[in-house]
PDB file of all heavy atoms in Angstrom:
ATOM      1  N   GLY V 422     -11.099  -3.724  -4.619  1.00  0.00           N
ATOM      2  CA  GLY V 422     -11.946  -2.561  -4.639  1.00  0.00           C
ATOM      3  C   GLY V 422     -11.365  -1.395  -3.868  1.00  0.00           C
ATOM      4  O   GLY V 422     -12.034  -0.349  -3.818  1.00  0.00           O
ATOM      5  N   VAL V 423     -10.176  -1.511  -3.274  1.00  0.00           N
ATOM      6  CA  VAL V 423      -9.602  -0.413  -2.507  1.00  0.00           C
ATOM      7  C   VAL V 423      -8.907   0.593  -3.409  1.00  0.00           C
ATOM      8  O   VAL V 423      -8.296   0.196  -4.401  1.00  0.00           O
ATOM      9  CB  VAL V 423      -8.613  -0.968  -1.463  1.00  0.00           C
ATOM     10  CG1 VAL V 423      -7.785   0.149  -0.833  1.00  0.00           C
ATOM     11  CG2 VAL V 423      -9.331  -1.769  -0.399  1.00  0.00           C
ATOM     12  N   ARG V 424      -9.086   1.850  -3.067  1.00  0.00           N
ATOM     13  CA  ARG V 424      -8.363   2.931  -3.737  1.00  0.00           C
ATOM     14  C   ARG V 424      -7.340   3.486  -2.769  1.00  0.00           C
ATOM     15  O   ARG V 424      -7.652   3.776  -1.613  1.00  0.00           O
ATOM     16  CB  ARG V 424      -9.294   4.085  -4.129  1.00  0.00           C
ATOM     17  CG  ARG V 424     -10.155   3.759  -5.357  1.00  0.00           C
ATOM     18  CD  ARG V 424     -11.098   4.880  -5.792  1.00  0.00           C
ATOM     19  NE  ARG V 424     -10.432   6.183  -5.734  1.00  0.00           N
ATOM     20  CZ  ARG V 424     -10.920   7.212  -4.991  1.00  0.00           C
ATOM     21  NH1 ARG V 424     -12.014   7.072  -4.292  1.00  0.00           N
ATOM     22  NH2 ARG V 424     -10.293   8.364  -5.004  1.00  0.00           N
ATOM     23  N   VAL V 425      -6.063   3.600  -3.241  1.00  0.00           N
ATOM     24  CA  VAL V 425      -5.003   4.154  -2.434  1.00  0.00           C
ATOM     25  C   VAL V 425      -4.511   5.420  -3.167  1.00  0.00           C
ATOM     26  O   VAL V 425      -3.963   5.366  -4.250  1.00  0.00           O
ATOM     27  CB  VAL V 425      -3.793   3.151  -2.310  1.00  0.00           C
ATOM     28  CG1 VAL V 425      -2.664   3.740  -1.465  1.00  0.00           C
ATOM     29  CG2 VAL V 425      -4.326   1.816  -1.755  1.00  0.00           C
ATOM     30  N   ALA V 426      -4.763   6.555  -2.484  1.00  0.00           N
ATOM     31  CA  ALA V 426      -4.386   7.866  -3.056  1.00  0.00           C
ATOM     32  C   ALA V 426      -3.134   8.342  -2.344  1.00  0.00           C
ATOM     33  O   ALA V 426      -3.154   8.552  -1.123  1.00  0.00           O
ATOM     34  CB  ALA V 426      -5.506   8.889  -2.892  1.00  0.00           C
ATOM     35  N   VAL V 427      -2.037   8.507  -3.123  1.00  0.00           N
ATOM     36  CA  VAL V 427      -0.763   8.793  -2.512  1.00  0.00           C
ATOM     37  C   VAL V 427      -0.347  10.242  -2.825  1.00  0.00           C
ATOM     38  O   VAL V 427      -0.411  10.697  -3.958  1.00  0.00           O
ATOM     39  CB  VAL V 427       0.377   7.838  -3.036  1.00  0.00           C
ATOM     40  CG1 VAL V 427       1.647   8.071  -2.267  1.00  0.00           C
ATOM     41  CG2 VAL V 427      -0.108   6.379  -2.873  1.00  0.00           C
ATOM     42  N   SER V 428       0.039  11.005  -1.778  1.00  0.00           N
ATOM     43  CA  SER V 428       0.445  12.373  -1.944  1.00  0.00           C
ATOM     44  C   SER V 428       1.727  12.567  -2.729  1.00  0.00           C
ATOM     45  O   SER V 428       2.525  11.611  -2.832  1.00  0.00           O
ATOM     46  CB  SER V 428       0.633  13.017  -0.533  1.00  0.00           C
ATOM     47  OG  SER V 428      -0.610  13.076   0.144  1.00  0.00           O
ATOM     48  N   ALA V 429       1.898  13.733  -3.300  1.00  0.00           N
ATOM     49  CA  ALA V 429       3.076  14.031  -4.090  1.00  0.00           C
ATOM     50  C   ALA V 429       4.381  13.840  -3.319  1.00  0.00           C
ATOM     51  O   ALA V 429       4.452  14.168  -2.141  1.00  0.00           O
ATOM     52  CB  ALA V 429       2.987  15.458  -4.577  1.00  0.00           C
ATOM     53  N   GLY V 430       5.352  13.201  -4.015  1.00  0.00           N
ATOM     54  CA  GLY V 430       6.637  13.001  -3.380  1.00  0.00           C
ATOM     55  C   GLY V 430       6.725  11.923  -2.348  1.00  0.00           C
ATOM     56  O   GLY V 430       7.744  11.777  -1.673  1.00  0.00           O
ATOM     57  N   VAL V 431       5.694  11.123  -2.158  1.00  0.00           N
ATOM     58  CA  VAL V 431       5.608  10.098  -1.121  1.00  0.00           C
ATOM     59  C   VAL V 431       5.799   8.737  -1.783  1.00  0.00           C
ATOM     60  O   VAL V 431       5.323   8.459  -2.884  1.00  0.00           O
ATOM     61  CB  VAL V 431       4.273  10.154  -0.399  1.00  0.00           C
ATOM     62  CG1 VAL V 431       4.121   9.024   0.576  1.00  0.00           C
ATOM     63  CG2 VAL V 431       4.136  11.473   0.372  1.00  0.00           C
ATOM     64  N   SER V 432       6.514   7.869  -1.050  1.00  0.00           N
ATOM     65  CA  SER V 432       6.661   6.500  -1.502  1.00  0.00           C
ATOM     66  C   SER V 432       6.116   5.492  -0.495  1.00  0.00           C
ATOM     67  O   SER V 432       5.874   5.863   0.659  1.00  0.00           O
ATOM     68  CB  SER V 432       8.161   6.144  -1.755  1.00  0.00           C
ATOM     69  OG  SER V 432       8.852   6.162  -0.532  1.00  0.00           O
ATOM     70  N   ILE V 433       5.881   4.274  -0.967  1.00  0.00           N
ATOM     71  CA  ILE V 433       5.478   3.172  -0.099  1.00  0.00           C
ATOM     72  C   ILE V 433       6.615   2.179  -0.111  1.00  0.00           C
ATOM     73  O   ILE V 433       6.952   1.603  -1.183  1.00  0.00           O
ATOM     74  CB  ILE V 433       4.158   2.549  -0.555  1.00  0.00           C
ATOM     75  CG1 ILE V 433       3.015   3.595  -0.547  1.00  0.00           C
ATOM     76  CG2 ILE V 433       3.815   1.322   0.267  1.00  0.00           C
ATOM     77  CD1 ILE V 433       1.730   3.109  -1.144  1.00  0.00           C
ATOM     78  N   GLN V 434       7.263   1.924   1.020  1.00  0.00           N
ATOM     79  CA  GLN V 434       8.352   0.985   1.129  1.00  0.00           C
ATOM     80  C   GLN V 434       7.849  -0.312   1.745  1.00  0.00           C
ATOM     81  O   GLN V 434       7.094  -0.263   2.737  1.00  0.00           O
ATOM     82  CB  GLN V 434       9.468   1.545   1.937  1.00  0.00           C
ATOM     83  CG  GLN V 434      10.185   2.737   1.306  1.00  0.00           C
ATOM     84  CD  GLN V 434      11.429   3.119   2.037  1.00  0.00           C
ATOM     85  OE1 GLN V 434      11.501   2.975   3.272  1.00  0.00           O
ATOM     86  NE2 GLN V 434      12.397   3.613   1.322  1.00  0.00           N
ATOM     87  N   VAL V 435       8.287  -1.418   1.192  1.00  0.00           N
ATOM     88  CA  VAL V 435       7.872  -2.718   1.634  1.00  0.00           C
ATOM     89  C   VAL V 435       9.097  -3.514   2.067  1.00  0.00           C
ATOM     90  O   VAL V 435       9.935  -3.890   1.220  1.00  0.00           O
ATOM     91  CB  VAL V 435       7.055  -3.484   0.595  1.00  0.00           C
ATOM     92  CG1 VAL V 435       6.598  -4.845   1.097  1.00  0.00           C
ATOM     93  CG2 VAL V 435       5.872  -2.687   0.106  1.00  0.00           C
ATOM     94  N   THR V 436       9.213  -3.781   3.354  1.00  0.00           N
ATOM     95  CA  THR V 436      10.263  -4.672   3.848  1.00  0.00           C
ATOM     96  C   THR V 436       9.640  -5.920   4.468  1.00  0.00           C
ATOM     97  O   THR V 436      10.357  -6.852   4.775  1.00  0.00           O
ATOM     98  CB  THR V 436      11.178  -3.968   4.882  1.00  0.00           C
ATOM     99  OG1 THR V 436      10.341  -3.586   5.997  1.00  0.00           O
ATOM    100  CG2 THR V 436      11.853  -2.801   4.344  1.00  0.00           C
ATOM    101  N   GLY V 437       8.327  -5.905   4.608  1.00  0.00           N
ATOM    102  CA  GLY V 437       7.557  -7.070   5.047  1.00  0.00           C
ATOM    103  C   GLY V 437       6.894  -7.692   3.851  1.00  0.00           C
ATOM    104  O   GLY V 437       7.554  -8.013   2.839  1.00  0.00           O
ATOM    105  N   GLU V 438       5.592  -7.889   3.908  1.00  0.00           N
ATOM    106  CA  GLU V 438       4.862  -8.515   2.803  1.00  0.00           C
ATOM    107  C   GLU V 438       3.630  -7.679   2.426  1.00  0.00           C
ATOM    108  O   GLU V 438       2.879  -7.286   3.314  1.00  0.00           O
ATOM    109  CB  GLU V 438       4.418  -9.902   3.199  1.00  0.00           C
ATOM    110  CG  GLU V 438       3.788 -10.672   2.067  1.00  0.00           C
ATOM    111  CD  GLU V 438       3.460 -12.149   2.417  1.00  0.00           C
ATOM    112  OE1 GLU V 438       4.041 -12.647   3.357  1.00  0.00           O
ATOM    113  OE2 GLU V 438       2.637 -12.728   1.698  1.00  0.00           O
ATOM    114  N   LEU V 439       3.454  -7.387   1.191  1.00  0.00           N
ATOM    115  CA  LEU V 439       2.319  -6.666   0.672  1.00  0.00           C
ATOM    116  C   LEU V 439       1.506  -7.645  -0.190  1.00  0.00           C
ATOM    117  O   LEU V 439       1.973  -8.191  -1.158  1.00  0.00           O
ATOM    118  CB  LEU V 439       2.785  -5.480  -0.203  1.00  0.00           C
ATOM    119  CG  LEU V 439       1.697  -4.656  -0.865  1.00  0.00           C
ATOM    120  CD1 LEU V 439       0.781  -3.998   0.170  1.00  0.00           C
ATOM    121  CD2 LEU V 439       2.299  -3.603  -1.793  1.00  0.00           C
ATOM    122  N   VAL V 440       0.236  -7.797   0.214  1.00  0.00           N
ATOM    123  CA  VAL V 440      -0.660  -8.712  -0.527  1.00  0.00           C
ATOM    124  C   VAL V 440      -1.804  -7.826  -1.117  1.00  0.00           C
ATOM    125  O   VAL V 440      -2.539  -7.255  -0.365  1.00  0.00           O
ATOM    126  CB  VAL V 440      -1.263  -9.791   0.416  1.00  0.00           C
ATOM    127  CG1 VAL V 440      -2.198 -10.714  -0.352  1.00  0.00           C
ATOM    128  CG2 VAL V 440      -0.153 -10.569   1.087  1.00  0.00           C
ATOM    129  N   VAL V 441      -1.835  -7.782  -2.442  1.00  0.00           N
ATOM    130  CA  VAL V 441      -2.850  -6.965  -3.095  1.00  0.00           C
ATOM    131  C   VAL V 441      -3.840  -7.900  -3.801  1.00  0.00           C
ATOM    132  O   VAL V 441      -3.445  -8.679  -4.630  1.00  0.00           O
ATOM    133  CB  VAL V 441      -2.202  -5.994  -4.118  1.00  0.00           C
ATOM    134  CG1 VAL V 441      -3.231  -5.199  -4.839  1.00  0.00           C
ATOM    135  CG2 VAL V 441      -1.157  -5.083  -3.435  1.00  0.00           C
ATOM    136  N   GLN V 442      -5.124  -7.853  -3.359  1.00  0.00           N
ATOM    137  CA  GLN V 442      -6.081  -8.841  -3.828  1.00  0.00           C
ATOM    138  C   GLN V 442      -7.064  -8.321  -4.808  1.00  0.00           C
ATOM    139  O   GLN V 442      -8.223  -8.718  -4.816  1.00  0.00           O
ATOM    140  CB  GLN V 442      -6.835  -9.392  -2.593  1.00  0.00           C
ATOM    141  CG  GLN V 442      -5.940 -10.077  -1.566  1.00  0.00           C
ATOM    142  CD  GLN V 442      -6.645 -10.508  -0.329  1.00  0.00           C
ATOM    143  OE1 GLN V 442      -7.601  -9.881   0.101  1.00  0.00           O
ATOM    144  NE2 GLN V 442      -6.241 -11.625   0.231  1.00  0.00           N
ATOM    145  N   GLY V 443      -6.686  -7.479  -5.689  1.00  0.00           N
ATOM    146  CA  GLY V 443      -7.552  -6.884  -6.723  1.00  0.00           C
ATOM    147  C   GLY V 443      -8.015  -7.994  -7.694  1.00  0.00           C
ATOM    148  O   GLY V 443      -7.366  -9.025  -7.885  1.00  0.00           O
ATOM    149  N   THR V 444      -9.141  -7.760  -8.280  1.00  0.00           N
ATOM    150  CA  THR V 444      -9.704  -8.615  -9.325  1.00  0.00           C
ATOM    151  C   THR V 444     -10.075  -7.785 -10.518  1.00  0.00           C
ATOM    152  O   THR V 444     -10.049  -6.536 -10.448  1.00  0.00           O
ATOM    153  CB  THR V 444     -10.995  -9.343  -8.808  1.00  0.00           C
ATOM    154  OG1 THR V 444     -12.010  -8.363  -8.608  1.00  0.00           O
ATOM    155  CG2 THR V 444     -10.754 -10.106  -7.519  1.00  0.00           C
ATOM    156  N   ALA V 445     -10.403  -8.413 -11.636  1.00  0.00           N
ATOM    157  CA  ALA V 445     -10.810  -7.716 -12.832  1.00  0.00           C
ATOM    158  C   ALA V 445     -12.083  -6.868 -12.541  1.00  0.00           C
ATOM    159  O   ALA V 445     -12.219  -5.756 -13.019  1.00  0.00           O
ATOM    160  CB  ALA V 445     -11.018  -8.669 -13.994  1.00  0.00           C
ATOM    161  N   ALA V 446     -12.977  -7.433 -11.744  1.00  0.00           N
ATOM    162  CA  ALA V 446     -14.221  -6.761 -11.460  1.00  0.00           C
ATOM    163  C   ALA V 446     -14.054  -5.690 -10.349  1.00  0.00           C
ATOM    164  O   ALA V 446     -14.815  -4.707 -10.370  1.00  0.00           O
ATOM    165  CB  ALA V 446     -15.250  -7.803 -11.006  1.00  0.00           C
ATOM    166  N   ALA V 447     -13.102  -5.843  -9.477  1.00  0.00           N
ATOM    167  CA  ALA V 447     -12.893  -4.899  -8.396  1.00  0.00           C
ATOM    168  C   ALA V 447     -11.360  -4.722  -8.171  1.00  0.00           C
ATOM    169  O   ALA V 447     -10.776  -5.263  -7.224  1.00  0.00           O
ATOM    170  CB  ALA V 447     -13.553  -5.405  -7.111  1.00  0.00           C
ATOM    171  N   PRO V 448     -10.715  -3.964  -9.068  1.00  0.00           N
ATOM    172  CA  PRO V 448      -9.278  -3.815  -8.928  1.00  0.00           C
ATOM    173  C   PRO V 448      -8.884  -2.916  -7.745  1.00  0.00           C
ATOM    174  O   PRO V 448      -9.703  -2.181  -7.217  1.00  0.00           O
ATOM    175  CB  PRO V 448      -8.920  -3.084 -10.266  1.00  0.00           C
ATOM    176  CG  PRO V 448     -10.133  -2.378 -10.667  1.00  0.00           C
ATOM    177  CD  PRO V 448     -11.288  -3.221 -10.173  1.00  0.00           C
TER     178      PRO V 448
END
Side-chain angles (χ1 to χ4, degrees):
V423 169
R424 286 182 40 238
V425 181
V427 187
S428 294
V431 172
S432 67
I433 299 173
Q434 293 189 328
V435 181
T436 61
E438 185 174 342
L439 177 63
V440 180
V441 180
Q442 299 177 326
T444 66

